[in-house]
Amino acid sequence: MKRTGIVIAVLGSAVLTSTVVVAPAAYAAPPTPPGKAVSAKHLSSLRVAKEGSLTGYSRSKFPHWNTVKGACNTRETVLKRDGRNVRVNSKCAAVSGTWKSPYDSGTWHKASDVDIDHMVALAEAWRSGARSWTTKQRTAFANDLRSSQLWAVTDNVNQAKGDKDPAKWLPPRASFRCMYARSWIDVKWRYKLTVDTAEKKALTRLLRPC
């Protein structure tokens, strides 16, 4: 009996060193942003200003996908958080799982089909205040797991969004647009970023039915 127990323990240890299984009961999501009333208040407090230029911008000025814990970086952490039955290898790379994109309801079974979207894109942040930040501040923004900044979404939908604000692009899934507006406002408010006139009008309109 003792010998069998040792064999099972060794085999179990070998499996754990090659693959870790994370199996949440349901799809997770980023921390929930404030509700309609608080979002409206935060939106009204944001400074309205014309967007700045992209002069000097580079994604490298926002160091992202930093190590979070062990071998896991920010991207891998979000994939595990937002997926279902996610299996990762010893390097924390997702080898299987299921992800449902809130932007378009697309369901994916390969991590390569999923992008981690910055709710407020790095270029958009640069144009609305981040160009004056320190590298440390931009790193915190690009790896923020404490707000509704990072979302696991369909890759080509994220690419269609690019660095557009809500006046220029909205998620195809209409039922998610309220959450999208609240999340966008929350990120801009947390980081004291500006909004332009068209952006503020679009966010005000999106909040009405929330």
Side-chain angles (χ1 to χ4, degrees), residues 22 106 127 137 141 149 171 175 191 200:
V22 179
R127 291 192 298 259
Q137 288 173 310
F141 178 83
Q149 166 70 330
S175 61
Y191 289 91
K200 185 172 183 177

Side-chain angles (χ1 to χ4, degrees), residues 26-64:
Y27 294 106
T32 305
K36 177 180 179 178
V38 174
S39 294
K41 182 179 180 181
H42 287 173
L43 177 59
S44 68
S45 72
L46 293 178
R47 186 168 70 87
V48 178
K50 183 179 179 180
E51 281 192 347
S53 74
L54 277 179
T55 301
Y57 169 74
S58 169
R59 285 181 66 85
S60 65
K61 292 187 177 180
F62 292 80
H64 52 288

Side-chain angles (χ1 to χ4, degrees), residues 73-91:
N73 66 26
T74 311
R75 171 182 164 81
E76 292 150 352
T77 299
V78 175
L79 286 172
K80 288 198 296 180
R81 180 194 70 188
D82 293 4
R84 177 182 288 173
N85 299 327
V86 178
R87 295 170 60 89
V88 300
N89 61 22
S90 59
K91 295 182 179 179

Side-chain angles (χ1 to χ4, degrees), residues 30 40 53 56 75 77 130 154 173 184 187:
S53 74
R75 171 182 164 81
T77 299
T154 302
R173 183 180 164 211
W184 184 279
V187 174

Side-chain angles (χ1 to χ4, degrees), residues 8-21 88-91:
I8 292 173
V10 170
L11 288 174
S13 177
V15 171
L16 286 174
T17 57
S18 61
T19 303
V20 177
V21 179
V88 300
N89 61 22
S90 59
K91 295 182 179 179

